Amino acid sequence: MKTLSVREQFEILSQGVLDLVTPDDLLAKLEKSNQTGKPLLIKYGADPSRPDIHLGHAVCFLKMRQFQDLGHEVVFVIGDFTARIGDPSGRSAVRSPLTKEEVEVNARTYKEQVDKILNPAQTRVVYNADWLEPLTLREVVRLGAQFTVAQMLERDDFQKRFAGKVPIYLHEFIYALMVAYDSVALNCDVEMGGGDQLFNFLVGRDLMRCFGQEPQVCLTMPILEGTDGQAKMSKSMDNYIGVTDSPEQIFGRVMSVPDEVMGHYWTYLNLATPAEWARLKEGIDREVLHPRTVKLDLAQRIVTWLHSAEEGKRRREEFEKVFTRKEAPSEICERVVSLPLDLASFLVSEGLVESKSEVRRLLKQAGIRLDEQPIPYSEHPTLNQFQDGAVLRVGKKKFLRLRKA
RNA sequence: GGCGAGGUACCCAAGCGGCCAAAGGGGUCUGACUGUAGAUCAGCUGGUGUAAUGCCUUCGGGGGUUCGAAUCCCUCCCUCGCCA
């Protein structure tokens, strides 16, 4: 397809991947597609109970986009079957089952976000309940007969939990089989996901063989660290940057990423080639480039990508204004208030602070300011006067402009 | 089915009749320093507030003993392990 040779396609597609099982299979599939003119089917399993897409997902989507640009087709498998059953194993969160309607709403939200990165014309959405629901117990048991418990326990996650005496539920094995069966149902060519999915993908590969299909290529991408630089990016860790977050949020969150993982953001998100990043890194190490500047560039690039060049520039200026020069942001929510103002109740009702006790705590620690002057602690903090347009600031990031009635 | 070990706040984990809103660590948050990074230091970390040895909620659920229970008893639920 297009003007690129199979070899060139392969080079592009295999760049930056974490696992590729196997390179030869991918080459063969590309070759076949090239000859028959039939696009490859790229599968991606989406969890409809978590419709928020963040930069961690984007690492995969960008790779999928490359496939699309080479003429291939992406299929999102919405895991509505499992979502509608619910997952009782979650120790922390009790994942309650979703209704059909909720799944549909989430799937639509999902698609909208995905369209920011992928080409909608080459993106298909399917629901796995369509083929999982009709399976009989007989068929499920037969699927189970293809694998041994020892094979299942090979999965890193299971192994750790088993060793750590953390419960592993039987249905988790079954879920792994179902993900694999999705691949059979679709007869897909490539399955894509994060590095932690490799095991599931390999199960799919084996299962396809059992069904006499050409086994899928398993392609995983490196996991992007969250803004804490530690755990992988995820909503539950609250260390994520959503693709639909506001430009301001995105910019701020990127700036809070530790320097050590900044390179991953640059390279995993295709904002720099490894060579380009190496050059930036060298500049930082030789102290000709300030790491902050490199991060500002990064934040600007990401905002530009997910919003617009104009926003990117604006956000950068705004950031420098607020945090480098410590000025108030140019856009602040305004509230008309009347005096005297019960500060604690006001801050809580405005949602700036969780509770009145916290207001007290913040006051004690000089964390609430009026026009950059810390408000002194008192048991019943009351504002008796202020200049019209004065700026109330809570911590580093929350601002509110006060207007007189 | 039998035996044993467990279930404590956002997470890990101590406590095992009152001084327990519950040690310690991690994380969050605030302040200093700074580059809204990291490191470091200091502080905070259930709510309410006539400010207090007060009240309400919180030590798996329910019930009981007691002036008083995270702590003792009963019962139920759940997890882990060993043996069947």
Side-chain angles (χ1 to χ4, degrees):
Chain A
M1 348 217 91
K2 310 295 169 275
T3 48
L4 290 177
S5 73
V6 167
R7 191 75 224 177
E8 285 167 323
Q9 289 194 27
F10 176 81
E11 291 304 328
I12 293 172
L13 294 172
S14 58
Q15 215 217 11
V17 307
L18 184 66
D19 300 291
L20 175 55
V21 180
T22 65
D24 287 347
D25 283 3
L26 179 59
L27 256 173
K29 279 179 182 285
L30 288 170
E31 185 63 54
K32 198 168 114 194
S33 165
N34 191 41
Q35 276 165 16
T36 60
K38 205 173 152 232
L40 295 180
L41 211 63
I42 319 299
K43 170 194 169 195
Y44 183 93
D47 179 359
S49 62
R50 297 177 172 262
D52 301 273
I53 310 249
H54 54 61
L55 293 185
H57 300 112
V59 175
C60 281
F61 295 171
L62 287 163
K63 179 57 69 184
M64 284 145 72
R65 175 67 199 227
Q66 291 180 335
F67 272 101
Q68 290 185 327
D69 290 343
L70 294 167
H72 304 294
E73 189 184 13
V74 165
V75 179
F76 274 88
V77 181
I78 304 287
D80 62 333
F81 184 76
T82 47
R84 297 229 305 268
I85 295 172
D87 188 344
S89 67
R91 293 145 288 160
S92 41
V94 183
R95 270 201 211 178
S96 47
L98 271 62
T99 64
K100 201 170 176 185
E101 289 70 35
E102 286 171 319
V103 168
E104 264 163 33
V105 170
N106 287 354
R108 212 174 309 130
T109 324
Y110 208 102
K111 181 75 165 62
E112 275 164 26
Q113 298 174 77
V114 161
D115 285 348
K116 275 178 103 78
I117 302 173
L118 293 173
N119 178 354
Q122 291 167 282
T123 308
R124 199 146 54 91
V125 175
V126 295
Y127 295 81
N128 70 358
D130 286 352
W131 54 81
L132 291 180
E133 199 95 64
L135 282 182
T136 62
L137 184 56
R138 177 191 302 250
E139 288 168 304
V140 175
V141 171
R142 209 172 278 162
L143 286 182
Q146 305 300 327
F147 300 93
T148 67
V149 171
Q151 281 173 327
M152 285 293 157
L153 283 174
E154 269 178 45
R155 186 167 110 180
D156 188 49
D157 171 51
F158 287 155
Q159 231 174 75
K160 281 197 189 120
R161 278 156 67 188
F162 193 67
K165 305 189 175 177
V166 178
I168 300 170
Y169 291 83
L170 201 52
H171 76 282
E172 296 184 68
F173 286 169
I174 300 178
Y175 280 3
L177 284 179
M178 301 201 158
V179 172
Y181 188 72
D182 289 346
S183 294
V184 173
L186 291 166
N187 195 4
C188 57
D189 294 295
V190 179
E191 176 153 26
M192 278 222 51
D196 50 350
Q197 295 295 313
L198 182 65
F199 178 85
N200 286 341
F201 294 0
L202 290 170
V203 173
R205 194 173 151 86
D206 285 342
L207 198 63
M208 288 174 86
R209 252 194 222 108
C210 296
F211 277 79
Q213 296 180 345
E214 187 181 295
Q216 65 182 359
V217 168
C218 308
L219 203 163
T220 66
M221 298 302 289
I223 306 276
L224 185 67
E225 292 91 345
T227 53
D228 55 1
Q230 299 287 316
K232 76 171 191 175
M233 189 177 280
S234 77
K235 194 177 186 200
S236 49
M237 296 290 271
D238 195 32
N239 63 358
Y240 70 105
I241 300 174
V243 296
T244 53
D245 283 351
S246 70
E248 190 184 359
Q249 261 177 318
I250 295 174
F251 204 101
R253 292 259 197 175
V254 173
M255 289 308 288
S256 73
V257 168
D259 292 357
E260 294 73 53
V261 299
M262 175 163 59
H264 290 162
Y265 279 66
W266 276 104
T267 53
Y268 294 175
L269 296 171
N270 280 351
L271 297 167
T273 63
E276 285 165 343
W277 165 246
R279 226 169 299 136
L280 289 174
K281 181 85 172 64
E282 199 200 333
I284 293 171
D285 291 344
R286 294 213 332 267
E287 293 185 12
V288 288
L289 276 176
H290 195 300
R292 190 197 59 221
T293 312
V294 177
K295 210 186 285 175
L296 282 166
D297 289 343
L298 175 68
Q300 187 176 349
R301 291 279 296 273
I302 293 177
V303 172
T304 298
W305 166 39
L306 294 172
H307 288 273
S308 66
E310 191 196 334
E311 272 296 343
K313 205 165 153 243
R314 260 245 308 288
R315 262 25 275 189
R316 183 184 189 133
E317 285 161 7
E318 193 65 19
F319 182 88
E320 292 183 324
K321 173 179 172 161
V322 176
F323 296 108
T324 309
R325 299 198 298 275
K326 307 258 186 242
E327 295 166 21
S330 17
E331 301 153 33
I332 312 180
C333 287
E334 294 192 351
R335 287 291 178 279
V336 176
V337 297
S338 47
L339 293 172
L341 181 67
D342 173 359
L343 204 59
S345 307
F346 176 73
L347 289 170
V348 172
S349 67
E350 285 299 326
L352 292 180
V353 180
E354 292 271 320
S355 67
K356 293 183 185 177
S357 299
E358 190 170 357
V359 172
R360 247 169 246 121
R361 259 176 250 138
L362 287 168
L363 285 172
K364 277 185 190 158
Q365 309 192 84
I368 301 179
R369 302 181 179 83
L370 186 66
D371 277 335
E372 289 307 310
Q373 287 302 306
I375 298 175
Y377 173 78
S378 70
E379 282 165 0
H380 293 286
T382 309
L383 210 54
N384 287 312
Q385 56 171 20
F386 64 86
Q387 292 255 309
D388 190 47
V391 173
L392 195 60
R393 179 174 189 171
V394 180
K396 286 182 277 197
K397 306 172 197 174
K398 297 173 194 161
F399 299 88
L400 200 60
R401 192 182 297 281
L402 299 182
R403 289 287 176 195
K404 291 204 166 168

